Every structure is written in C-alpha cells, then in structure tokens.
Amino acid sequence: MTTEKGILRRIYLVAIGMLLFALAIGFKLVNIQVVDGDKYRELSEQRVYKSFVIPANRGNLYDSNGSLLATSVPEYDIRFDAITVSQENFEENLKPLSESLSKMFGKSASHYAQDIRRARAHKNRYYLIARGVSYTQYVQMREFPMFNLGAFKGGFIAEQRTVRELPLGKIGERTVGRGQAGLEGAYDDYLKGQNGRRLKQKIAKGQWKPIGDANELEPEDGLDVVSTIDITIQDIAHHALLKQLEKYKADHGTVVVMETETGEIKAMANLGRTSEGTYYEKRNYAIYESQEPGSTFKLMTMVAALEDKVLDTSDVFDSEKGRIKYYDRVVKDSRYGGYGEISAAKAFEVSSNTVFSKFINEGYKNKPEALVNRLNYMGLNQKIGLEIKGEGQPHIPHPDDANWYGTTLPWMSFGYGVSITPLQTLAFYNAIANDGVMIKPRLIKEIRNRDKVVEHYEKGEINNSICSKETASKVREMMKNTVLRGTARNIYTEQFSMAGKTGTCLTGYGRGDGSSEYIASFAGYFPADDPKYSCIVVVTKPDRSLGYYGNIVAAPVFKEIAQEIYTDTPTTNEFEDVNVDYKNVQKDYEQFYVTAQKYKSIMPNVEGLPAMDAVSLLENLGLKVVLKGAGKVRNQSITSGVKIKSNQTIYLTTS
C-alpha cells in the first residue's frame, strides 16, 4: 500500500509539473502573440525585408561660363530574377532578349541564352546580367523583351549607384576637390541633396532583391553650384605652370589668377612632383601653404613705410656695396657690389635687400610695433576666410614674441621671418591694383536649382582700404617699372603692359647642412594701367643648377598666362580717350619709332602714348627718363624733332 501511495504521489507530481509546464508554454505563446507580437513580427520582417538608402545625385559643379567641372553620373548593375517569370513568358522572350543583350554587349546570343537558362534551372533570383551600365543603356535595357514586363513578371532588377566624374580630368582637381576637399567639400550641403529609400527582400545567400520598381522615398537631387573658375584660363595656367616645373625640375608650384575688380578666382593650379618626375594636382598649395614669401613682401613693407611716412619714394639710400651687417648677420643684395646710392623707388625696382633693410630698420627701430601694427591693420595677420578647408595661418612676428631679435626687423623688410600663403599675397597685390581696396577672393558665383538662382554671391570687401590712393598709385608705378627696367625686365613686351614684383626666397636655411633650397615667385597684375587680372606664381624648390631666381623661374609663367588671356580677352576701353585720337597717336608712335631707330639723334613725339611705351622708346634712344604720374604722356620736356644727346634727361608728365 505504501508503495502504491508513493507511486501515485509521484505520478501526481509529474502530472502537476507537466500541467504547469504546459501552462507556462501557453502563457509564453499568448505573450508572444498578443503582448510582444508587433515586436517579433517587425523583427521577422526586418530579417526578410529591409529599407535601403538610395543616395541622391549630387548637384553639378560648373565653371563661370557653364562648363562642367564635376557631375554625378549614374551607373547600374542589371540583374535577373529567374524564378518570378512564368514559363510561358520565359520561353517566348528568351531568344529576343538574348539577341538584344548580344547587340548591346557583344557576346553571342547563345551565350546569354545558355546562362539565363542555367540561372533558371538553379533557381537563381539574383543573376548578374551586366555591371556598371550607363543610364542610356539602362533605359534601353528596360525595354528589352521580357525585361519590359517589369520586376515581377519580367524579373528585371536594376541597382543604381552614383559615380562622381571630373570632365577636366586632373586639371584643377584640387580646387574642384573630392569628398570634403575643395569646392566639393565647401559646398557639400548644397550639392549632396536628400537620400531616398527603397524596400528590398532578402533572398538566398544573403542577397537582397528590390521589391517593385518604385521607391519608398524618392531621392532629391542636390543643387548646382556655379563657380568663378574659367576653364579656358584654368587650362592656360595649368600648362604654363607645368611647363616651367618640368623645365626646372621643381618640387611643386602654384598659380592663381583673379579678376581684379570682383575678386573672382578664374584659375587655381597646384602641381606637385612624383618620385618618377611627373606632376599632378597633389595639394592646394595656393590656399594651405603658408611660408616665407621673400621679396614679394617688399610691396607690403613699402606700403607700410609710405603710409607711416617714414620715407618717400624719392629718398636716397646707400646700398653699402650690397652688404650690411646687423649684429652677427649680414644682409646681401643679389647684385655683387650693390647698386650705389639709389632712391627707395629704385630699390623696389631692383629689389635691393640692403636698402629695404636700411629704411625699415631706421624708420621703425625705436617703435617696431608700429610696423607690425600697420601690417596687421592691412590684414596680413588674418586668414582670408575661404569656404575651402585648410587655409594656412599667416604669421607676422611681434616685438613681444620670445624669438624677436635685433635682426627680426631688417629681415622682415624683405620677407623673411614672416609667413603668408600665395592667395593671401595675391589678395594684397590685387588691393593695390584696386586703389587700395582689398576684395575678398572668392570661388563661387551662385547656387542654382536647375535654371532657378537660389543664392547669388556678390563681391565682398575684407578691408575698405588698406592704404591711401596716393600710396597705391606710387607703388603701382614702381611695379610697372619693375617690369619695364627692373628685376622683371626679361618679361617686358611691347604688346601689352604688366606690373609686379619678383621674389626669391631661401628656404631650409636653418638646417646648416648646405641643403638650402629656393622659392621663386612673381606677383602682379595686367594690364598695368587698367588692371583686369591679378596673378601670382610660386615655384618651390627648383633645381638650383638650372635656375632659382623669381624673374627667371616664376615671372615667365606670369607673362605666358597674361599673354594668352590678353589675346583672348582684350580690354574694351583701351582706345577711349576724350582728348587723344589714339589711332593717330599709334600711327605717330610707329612712325617716330622707325625714324628714331634710323636717326637715333631725333627726339620723337611721345605725347598721348601710354607712359610705359614712351619710357621704353626713349630709353632705347639712350635717354634718362624721369616720369611723373601714371597714364598717358601729357607733356615732354624735350620738344619733338630736335637733336638729342646720349644720357640726356627728359621729364615726362602724364595725364
């Protein structure tokens, strides 16, 4: 009895346990179905269905004339669901589909027919027909037999992706940019658009098939950006720079061309050397590379000295035979023996380091902060603030700095110890061409939504005036003379006028291992009397055995660019003068020029001629010319037609 009762007790316990277990299972099932049903159904659907992002097409990037700099090109992978097509449709359309594929892609029709049949036999729902087809091909393939029945009846699957292409290739690549670099990065918020979504179903082997032809959310294309770049000028700048870099085997170089009045950047070329000796758009040196500018900085110190009235252009200084010692260091002129006693204006033309160091040191040695404050007032310690990332930080030393020495001030006078980017330098030169008004360089004209202008960008002034018009006029004359008879006279041409300043800067001089190299530069504008474009050329580390001076390495690039642009875009007002019949003046000029070459003792009539042409003509006759003012010649001190003597001085007054 005891045994039977024990057995029954155990049976009851087991039965109760099974009942409780069943109840627990039932409770769990009810909980799954009712309480957490939505959660698990969603999880199940996510494993079978998933919403994929469809990237929006980026907007186009144009040059100032509407030519494409960057565009989004759609590419498609075409696949085939071999199961969803009915047997009737499959057999009816296989042959014409294979023939259409053969005609488009070149393989035989039998090849496609066999592959598609094999895909159906293996129940392949994601068979690859073609990869990376163009939009035009995609549109055509949608109309192929069988595919024209759609996704469910015809098994047609098209997967789109967007590829960014640069129609100009490597020309201007760093300026156009990719990703977050260049214009692409700066205006990404406009260009990127809004992504769409598309629902796909998971099929065998982790593959996902689109459900239907329509998207859940259609992507919205980005806006178009119209830049200031002119591809014609960009091409000119690129090849002029490339030719010179190859000739002098330089490490890298940059060119920027800017419209004087508006600050619109028309070209920005940046080329770096590879280990094989070829060049490509390596980095945006124009914007990011802040380094010692050398003698192109003499324009800044000259303007500062004139504004602070520590000298006048006619003040005369002794160049000390080309050598001046400050403490334990010596300032040297490139010309052995110096230039004797010369005016400050002449010192600019011939780029005398000794004279510049002398008048800056004498003028500011008791108040060096005055020079620094003046340079800072002119904006030389500030970034331009371009939207493109990576702008280099300029540096102007201050007397309060720990590394300010007795030699800092004289060395600053000719561009050592300071740091500035090529574009920041160009902005200053452009301001001088603009009567002292500094215009912010810009790379963007407007934002467009197809043909509708969404946002238009106007020119912006960084500094209302960096100097007086009088000072700007004086230094403009010096820059004209630099090309006419100074360090850049090798690029002078009678065809058109240019103004600017050469620069040759020693770099790496602190290493002490004899490996110092040079930076050659030239900055200026053209035409000289009515500036339309400003331009800077910087060539870094040319082969010293081939040449390294700014006038030899950098200035010819400037001239070639100016010549090409001047030929294509002549000035519109060069013949406008209410007092002078320029056609007759030009005729007289040509006549007297021929006469003067034949009879070199005859004084020609130069009244009405551009001052630059008059000076060139008279100096060719052996005369010493003293020019007052700028523009066209109004009066000449020696009457035309009289006999002249060699080294005779003539005074010209301009309009």
Side-chain angles (χ1 to χ4, degrees), residues 331-365:
V331 173
K332 301 177 182 178
D333 281 331
S334 60
R335 177 176 175 176
Y336 185 78
Y339 301 92
E341 293 186 353
I342 56 175
S343 68
K346 189 67 175 180
F348 185 93
E349 296 171 21
V350 299
S351 199
S352 172
N353 294 336
T354 57
V355 171
F356 264 76
S357 69
K358 180 176 284 190
F359 70 67
I360 290 295
N361 191 61
E362 290 177 359
Y364 292 99
K365 63 183 177 181

